[in-house]
Amino acid sequence: MTKALTAYLWVTIAVGAATLSIGVARAETPAERGAYLVGTIMTCNNCHTPMGPSGPQFDKALSGGLTFDVPPFNVTAPNITQDKETGIGNWTDAEIKQTLRSGIRPNGAKLAGVMPSGFYGAITEPDMDAIVAYLRTVKPISNKVPAPVYRVPVELEMFPGAEKPIANDGSKEQRGRYLATIGHCMECHTPMEKGMHAYSTSLGAGGQDFPGPWGTSVARNITSSKEKGLGEWTDAEIKRAITQGISRNGTKLFPPMGYPYYARMTAADLDALVAWLRTVPPQE
Ligand code: HEC
Ligand code: HEC
């Protein structure tokens, strides 16, 4: 791992810990809940915040970020700050919600699948309100990102089970399924077949390549397979991998998985996520 990357992981973890230590005594406001979802499991900053040499530039949070040159598309994560000209300051609440859920912009243009809208139908109404309430608090920053290039028509790929909100039935597993869905874990961890994710046949089997400044990382098998997946791992080992980017054998894991964001999740949410991972059928 490069020095810059190590510094990035640790700095962001420290910032996260400081932010979390507030707000135990009173009820969480919707904007705080939204900040939690956006800043942890949903990892919006991982794509929408510009990346500097030592990690995300949080002083320019959500002002437009990474460019994904994934033929046939070349798209840049847009500015989603409250700037009225270059961000989403002029969008209504309903327009923001509709875009997140449907992957269709207010002007009718469809968003490339890099934006995980195929997972966001699972978001409950109170959480959707919370996300919008938080986005309204994001400091406006003027930054125009390059226009998207689509060489073929964009189609929304719906993640199975994300067609409608996943209600909280009080069980740990259901809570975990909710978090894993809105956290789009399986988007990276499921192999592609003919340009589509093989969710129905190879959920969680790993295999996608992610090239970047770190080299090429390959998404791993995170099913309950004892041989190839997490079946023999302890809960603590799985949590360490997710929050610290350290594999079972102690080796470092590389981006683009947003370890420092997951590090700020509550202990209960992390427990639920692990409980759900245990239920993912083995893939060899
Ligand atoms: C994996 C990267 C990624 C993540 C994570 C992600 N986005 Fe996006 N988002 C994108 C990209 C790329 C686009 C633009 C796609 C295009 O141009 O077709 C986009 C588009 C958008 C748009 C449309 C903006 C516009 O001007 O058209 C909104 C709003 C948005 N994202 C909000 C969010 C929020 C809120 C989150 C977290 C809950 C989030 N995104 C998570 C990559 C991401
Ligand atoms: C943006 C893509 C991406 C997303 C989203 C993502 N991961 Fe990963 N994950 C990876 C990659 C790539 C690796 C392997 C990194 C390496 O080998 O350096 C990995 C590694 C892991 C590992 C370590 C496995 C091992 O054998 O060491 C676990 C566990 C894991 N991910 C779970 C999750 C969970 C749970 C989520 C959702 C909360 C998630 N991932 C979201 C890309 C992603």
PDB file of all heavy atoms in Angstrom, residues 1 7 10-11 44 46 48 55-56 62 70 98 123 126 151 159 167 176 183 205 220 224 227 241:
ATOM      1  N   MET A   1       0.845  -1.204   0.000  1.00  0.00           N
ATOM      2  CA  MET A   1       0.000   0.000   0.000  1.00  0.00           C
ATOM      3  C   MET A   1       0.878   1.252   0.000  1.00  0.00           C
ATOM      4  O   MET A   1       1.883   1.299   0.686  1.00  0.00           O
ATOM      5  CB  MET A   1      -0.886  -0.033   1.240  1.00  0.00           C
ATOM      6  CG  MET A   1      -1.637   1.267   1.435  1.00  0.00           C
ATOM      7  SD  MET A   1      -2.681   1.237   2.873  1.00  0.00           S
ATOM      8  CE  MET A   1      -3.977   0.185   2.364  1.00  0.00           C
ATOM      9  N   ALA A   7      -2.172   7.024   4.734  1.00  0.00           N
ATOM     10  CA  ALA A   7      -2.507   8.269   5.437  1.00  0.00           C
ATOM     11  C   ALA A   7      -3.992   8.555   5.279  1.00  0.00           C
ATOM     12  O   ALA A   7      -4.693   8.876   6.234  1.00  0.00           O
ATOM     13  CB  ALA A   7      -1.687   9.420   4.868  1.00  0.00           C
ATOM     14  N   TRP A  10      -6.220   6.386   7.541  1.00  0.00           N
ATOM     15  CA  TRP A  10      -6.187   6.727   8.956  1.00  0.00           C
ATOM     16  C   TRP A  10      -6.779   8.082   9.250  1.00  0.00           C
ATOM     17  O   TRP A  10      -7.501   8.238  10.217  1.00  0.00           O
ATOM     18  CB  TRP A  10      -4.762   6.603   9.493  1.00  0.00           C
ATOM     19  CG  TRP A  10      -4.469   5.158   9.658  1.00  0.00           C
ATOM     20  CD1 TRP A  10      -3.655   4.396   8.867  1.00  0.00           C
ATOM     21  CD2 TRP A  10      -5.072   4.259  10.591  1.00  0.00           C
ATOM     22  NE1 TRP A  10      -3.701   3.094   9.258  1.00  0.00           N
ATOM     23  CE2 TRP A  10      -4.551   2.965  10.312  1.00  0.00           C
ATOM     24  CE3 TRP A  10      -5.985   4.406  11.632  1.00  0.00           C
ATOM     25  CZ2 TRP A  10      -4.924   1.848  11.052  1.00  0.00           C
ATOM     26  CZ3 TRP A  10      -6.349   3.289  12.354  1.00  0.00           C
ATOM     27  CH2 TRP A  10      -5.825   2.030  12.071  1.00  0.00           C
ATOM     28  N   VAL A  11      -6.506   9.061   8.389  1.00  0.00           N
ATOM     29  CA  VAL A  11      -7.073  10.391   8.629  1.00  0.00           C
ATOM     30  C   VAL A  11      -8.594  10.311   8.607  1.00  0.00           C
ATOM     31  O   VAL A  11      -9.267  10.817   9.491  1.00  0.00           O
ATOM     32  CB  VAL A  11      -6.564  11.408   7.576  1.00  0.00           C
ATOM     33  CG1 VAL A  11      -7.362  12.688   7.641  1.00  0.00           C
ATOM     34  CG2 VAL A  11      -5.091  11.690   7.818  1.00  0.00           C
ATOM     35  N   CYS A  44     -21.483   7.726  -0.488  1.00  0.00           N
ATOM     36  CA  CYS A  44     -21.667   8.684  -1.600  1.00  0.00           C
ATOM     37  C   CYS A  44     -20.371   9.458  -1.877  1.00  0.00           C
ATOM     38  O   CYS A  44     -20.058   9.760  -3.027  1.00  0.00           O
ATOM     39  CB  CYS A  44     -22.777   9.686  -1.298  1.00  0.00           C
ATOM     40  SG  CYS A  44     -24.322   8.975  -0.676  1.00  0.00           S
ATOM     41  N   ASN A  46     -17.404   8.446  -1.707  1.00  0.00           N
ATOM     42  CA  ASN A  46     -16.416   7.616  -2.389  1.00  0.00           C
ATOM     43  C   ASN A  46     -16.408   7.929  -3.887  1.00  0.00           C
ATOM     44  O   ASN A  46     -15.392   7.772  -4.550  1.00  0.00           O
ATOM     45  CB  ASN A  46     -16.761   6.138  -2.163  1.00  0.00           C
ATOM     46  CG  ASN A  46     -15.544   5.250  -2.064  1.00  0.00           C
ATOM     47  OD1 ASN A  46     -14.416   5.734  -1.962  1.00  0.00           O
ATOM     48  ND2 ASN A  46     -15.755   3.958  -2.090  1.00  0.00           N
ATOM     49  N   HIS A  48     -18.608  10.886  -5.201  1.00  0.00           N
ATOM     50  CA  HIS A  48     -19.015  12.269  -5.492  1.00  0.00           C
ATOM     51  C   HIS A  48     -18.092  13.342  -4.898  1.00  0.00           C
ATOM     52  O   HIS A  48     -18.332  14.526  -5.116  1.00  0.00           O
ATOM     53  CB  HIS A  48     -20.446  12.516  -4.998  1.00  0.00           C
ATOM     54  CG  HIS A  48     -21.504  11.912  -5.879  1.00  0.00           C
ATOM     55  ND1 HIS A  48     -21.988  12.553  -6.993  1.00  0.00           N
ATOM     56  CD2 HIS A  48     -22.158  10.726  -5.823  1.00  0.00           C
ATOM     57  CE1 HIS A  48     -22.920  11.796  -7.565  1.00  0.00           C
ATOM     58  NE2 HIS A  48     -23.036  10.669  -6.874  1.00  0.00           N
ATOM     59  N   GLY A  55      -6.180  11.462  -0.543  1.00  0.00           N
ATOM     60  CA  GLY A  55      -7.522  10.987  -0.222  1.00  0.00           C
ATOM     61  C   GLY A  55      -8.594  11.981  -0.603  1.00  0.00           C
ATOM     62  O   GLY A  55      -8.308  13.007  -1.231  1.00  0.00           O
ATOM     63  N   PRO A  56      -9.850  11.678  -0.236  1.00  0.00           N
ATOM     64  CA  PRO A  56     -10.959  12.564  -0.613  1.00  0.00           C
ATOM     65  C   PRO A  56     -10.786  13.960  -0.009  1.00  0.00           C
ATOM     66  O   PRO A  56     -10.343  14.092   1.122  1.00  0.00           O
ATOM     67  CB  PRO A  56     -12.184  11.876   0.005  1.00  0.00           C
ATOM     68  CG  PRO A  56     -11.750  10.504   0.364  1.00  0.00           C
ATOM     69  CD  PRO A  56     -10.283  10.535   0.566  1.00  0.00           C
ATOM     70  N   LEU A  62     -18.715  16.277  -1.849  1.00  0.00           N
ATOM     71  CA  LEU A  62     -19.847  16.037  -2.747  1.00  0.00           C
ATOM     72  C   LEU A  62     -19.937  17.017  -3.926  1.00  0.00           C
ATOM     73  O   LEU A  62     -20.964  17.115  -4.583  1.00  0.00           O
ATOM     74  CB  LEU A  62     -21.165  15.997  -1.962  1.00  0.00           C
ATOM     75  CG  LEU A  62     -21.224  14.932  -0.853  1.00  0.00           C
ATOM     76  CD1 LEU A  62     -22.544  15.038  -0.084  1.00  0.00           C
ATOM     77  CD2 LEU A  62     -21.088  13.519  -1.422  1.00  0.00           C
ATOM     78  N   VAL A  70     -15.887   3.679 -18.396  1.00  0.00           N
ATOM     79  CA  VAL A  70     -16.243   2.282 -18.536  1.00  0.00           C
ATOM     80  C   VAL A  70     -17.046   2.132 -19.834  1.00  0.00           C
ATOM     81  O   VAL A  70     -18.254   2.271 -19.839  1.00  0.00           O
ATOM     82  CB  VAL A  70     -17.060   1.769 -17.322  1.00  0.00           C
ATOM     83  CG1 VAL A  70     -16.151   1.448 -16.162  1.00  0.00           C
ATOM     84  CG2 VAL A  70     -18.097   2.811 -16.860  1.00  0.00           C
ATOM     85  N   GLN A  98     -36.834  11.009  -6.573  1.00  0.00           N
ATOM     86  CA  GLN A  98     -37.168  10.295  -7.809  1.00  0.00           C
ATOM     87  C   GLN A  98     -35.884   9.893  -8.552  1.00  0.00           C
ATOM     88  O   GLN A  98     -35.767   8.771  -9.044  1.00  0.00           O
ATOM     89  CB  GLN A  98     -38.060  11.206  -8.672  1.00  0.00           C
ATOM     90  CG  GLN A  98     -38.321  10.744 -10.078  1.00  0.00           C
ATOM     91  CD  GLN A  98     -39.210   9.497 -10.107  1.00  0.00           C
ATOM     92  OE1 GLN A  98     -39.850   9.152  -9.103  1.00  0.00           O
ATOM     93  NE2 GLN A  98     -39.213   8.804 -11.239  1.00  0.00           N
ATOM     94  N   ILE A 123     -34.617   1.866  -0.202  1.00  0.00           N
ATOM     95  CA  ILE A 123     -34.545   2.862   0.883  1.00  0.00           C
ATOM     96  C   ILE A 123     -35.950   3.154   1.431  1.00  0.00           C
ATOM     97  O   ILE A 123     -36.874   3.412   0.655  1.00  0.00           O
ATOM     98  CB  ILE A 123     -33.894   4.174   0.368  1.00  0.00           C
ATOM     99  CG1 ILE A 123     -32.490   3.899  -0.167  1.00  0.00           C
ATOM    100  CG2 ILE A 123     -33.856   5.234   1.466  1.00  0.00           C
ATOM    101  CD1 ILE A 123     -31.843   5.100  -0.857  1.00  0.00           C
ATOM    102  N   PRO A 126     -38.746   7.146   5.498  1.00  0.00           N
ATOM    103  CA  PRO A 126     -38.071   8.023   6.475  1.00  0.00           C
ATOM    104  C   PRO A 126     -36.576   8.209   6.165  1.00  0.00           C
ATOM    105  O   PRO A 126     -36.041   9.310   6.325  1.00  0.00           O
ATOM    106  CB  PRO A 126     -38.244   7.287   7.812  1.00  0.00           C
ATOM    107  CG  PRO A 126     -39.380   6.351   7.611  1.00  0.00           C
ATOM    108  CD  PRO A 126     -39.417   6.008   6.150  1.00  0.00           C
ATOM    109  N   ARG A 151     -22.674   5.890 -25.191  1.00  0.00           N
ATOM    110  CA  ARG A 151     -22.606   5.428 -26.582  1.00  0.00           C
ATOM    111  C   ARG A 151     -23.697   4.421 -26.904  1.00  0.00           C
ATOM    112  O   ARG A 151     -23.911   4.079 -28.052  1.00  0.00           O
ATOM    113  CB  ARG A 151     -21.215   4.868 -26.889  1.00  0.00           C
ATOM    114  CG  ARG A 151     -20.156   5.966 -26.856  1.00  0.00           C
ATOM    115  CD  ARG A 151     -18.781   5.491 -27.286  1.00  0.00           C
ATOM    116  NE  ARG A 151     -17.789   6.484 -26.907  1.00  0.00           N
ATOM    117  CZ  ARG A 151     -17.153   6.496 -25.746  1.00  0.00           C
ATOM    118  NH1 ARG A 151     -17.391   5.563 -24.836  1.00  0.00           N
ATOM    119  NH2 ARG A 151     -16.274   7.441 -25.467  1.00  0.00           N
ATOM    120  N   PHE A 159     -31.476  -4.368  -8.618  1.00  0.00           N
ATOM    121  CA  PHE A 159     -30.950  -5.422  -7.750  1.00  0.00           C
ATOM    122  C   PHE A 159     -32.142  -6.191  -7.167  1.00  0.00           C
ATOM    123  O   PHE A 159     -33.091  -5.578  -6.664  1.00  0.00           O
ATOM    124  CB  PHE A 159     -30.124  -4.787  -6.618  1.00  0.00           C
ATOM    125  CG  PHE A 159     -29.513  -5.803  -5.685  1.00  0.00           C
ATOM    126  CD1 PHE A 159     -28.529  -6.665  -6.137  1.00  0.00           C
ATOM    127  CD2 PHE A 159     -29.911  -5.883  -4.360  1.00  0.00           C
ATOM    128  CE1 PHE A 159     -27.957  -7.595  -5.285  1.00  0.00           C
ATOM    129  CE2 PHE A 159     -29.337  -6.813  -3.491  1.00  0.00           C
ATOM    130  CZ  PHE A 159     -28.354  -7.672  -3.964  1.00  0.00           C
ATOM    131  N   ALA A 167     -38.663  -3.026   4.633  1.00  0.00           N
ATOM    132  CA  ALA A 167     -39.153  -2.590   5.944  1.00  0.00           C
ATOM    133  C   ALA A 167     -38.344  -3.236   7.060  1.00  0.00           C
ATOM    134  O   ALA A 167     -37.831  -4.343   6.902  1.00  0.00           O
ATOM    135  CB  ALA A 167     -40.618  -2.963   6.088  1.00  0.00           C
ATOM    136  N   GLY A 176     -29.659  -6.251   8.249  1.00  0.00           N
ATOM    137  CA  GLY A 176     -28.414  -6.447   7.505  1.00  0.00           C
ATOM    138  C   GLY A 176     -28.651  -6.457   6.003  1.00  0.00           C
ATOM    139  O   GLY A 176     -27.865  -5.900   5.234  1.00  0.00           O
ATOM    140  N   GLY A 183     -26.112  -0.259   0.624  1.00  0.00           N
ATOM    141  CA  GLY A 183     -24.658  -0.116   0.528  1.00  0.00           C
ATOM    142  C   GLY A 183     -24.097  -0.722  -0.755  1.00  0.00           C
ATOM    143  O   GLY A 183     -22.880  -0.745  -0.948  1.00  0.00           O
ATOM    144  N   ALA A 205     -20.071 -13.909  -5.497  1.00  0.00           N
ATOM    145  CA  ALA A 205     -18.944 -14.788  -5.837  1.00  0.00           C
ATOM    146  C   ALA A 205     -17.642 -14.036  -6.118  1.00  0.00           C
ATOM    147  O   ALA A 205     -16.578 -14.634  -6.196  1.00  0.00           O
ATOM    148  CB  ALA A 205     -19.302 -15.664  -7.035  1.00  0.00           C
ATOM    149  N   ARG A 220     -13.629  -9.919  -3.906  1.00  0.00           N
ATOM    150  CA  ARG A 220     -13.498 -11.291  -3.401  1.00  0.00           C
ATOM    151  C   ARG A 220     -14.845 -11.975  -3.217  1.00  0.00           C
ATOM    152  O   ARG A 220     -15.881 -11.335  -3.212  1.00  0.00           O
ATOM    153  CB  ARG A 220     -12.760 -11.235  -2.067  1.00  0.00           C
ATOM    154  CG  ARG A 220     -11.504 -10.393  -2.185  1.00  0.00           C
ATOM    155  CD  ARG A 220     -10.335 -11.058  -1.592  1.00  0.00           C
ATOM    156  NE  ARG A 220      -9.160 -10.190  -1.692  1.00  0.00           N
ATOM    157  CZ  ARG A 220      -8.086 -10.356  -0.956  1.00  0.00           C
ATOM    158  NH1 ARG A 220      -8.024 -11.321  -0.061  1.00  0.00           N
ATOM    159  NH2 ARG A 220      -7.048  -9.558  -1.117  1.00  0.00           N
ATOM    160  N   SER A 224     -21.046 -17.434   1.916  1.00  0.00           N
ATOM    161  CA  SER A 224     -20.774 -18.254   3.098  1.00  0.00           C
ATOM    162  C   SER A 224     -19.963 -19.505   2.760  1.00  0.00           C
ATOM    163  O   SER A 224     -19.824 -20.391   3.606  1.00  0.00           O
ATOM    164  CB  SER A 224     -22.094 -18.632   3.769  1.00  0.00           C
ATOM    165  OG  SER A 224     -22.922 -19.279   2.834  1.00  0.00           O
ATOM    166  N   GLU A 227     -14.743 -22.757   1.734  1.00  0.00           N
ATOM    167  CA  GLU A 227     -13.483 -22.818   0.999  1.00  0.00           C
ATOM    168  C   GLU A 227     -13.069 -21.463   0.447  1.00  0.00           C
ATOM    169  O   GLU A 227     -11.958 -21.010   0.645  1.00  0.00           O
ATOM    170  CB  GLU A 227     -13.665 -23.755  -0.214  1.00  0.00           C
ATOM    171  CG  GLU A 227     -13.748 -25.211   0.128  1.00  0.00           C
ATOM    172  CD  GLU A 227     -12.368 -25.850   0.064  1.00  0.00           C
ATOM    173  OE1 GLU A 227     -11.742 -25.750  -1.001  1.00  0.00           O
ATOM    174  OE2 GLU A 227     -11.934 -26.429   1.084  1.00  0.00           O
ATOM    175  N   ALA A 241     -12.151  -6.738   8.220  1.00  0.00           N
ATOM    176  CA  ALA A 241     -11.981  -6.577   6.766  1.00  0.00           C
ATOM    177  C   ALA A 241     -12.810  -5.396   6.266  1.00  0.00           C
ATOM    178  O   ALA A 241     -12.327  -4.561   5.505  1.00  0.00           O
ATOM    179  CB  ALA A 241     -12.376  -7.866   6.041  1.00  0.00           C
TER     180      ALA A 241
END
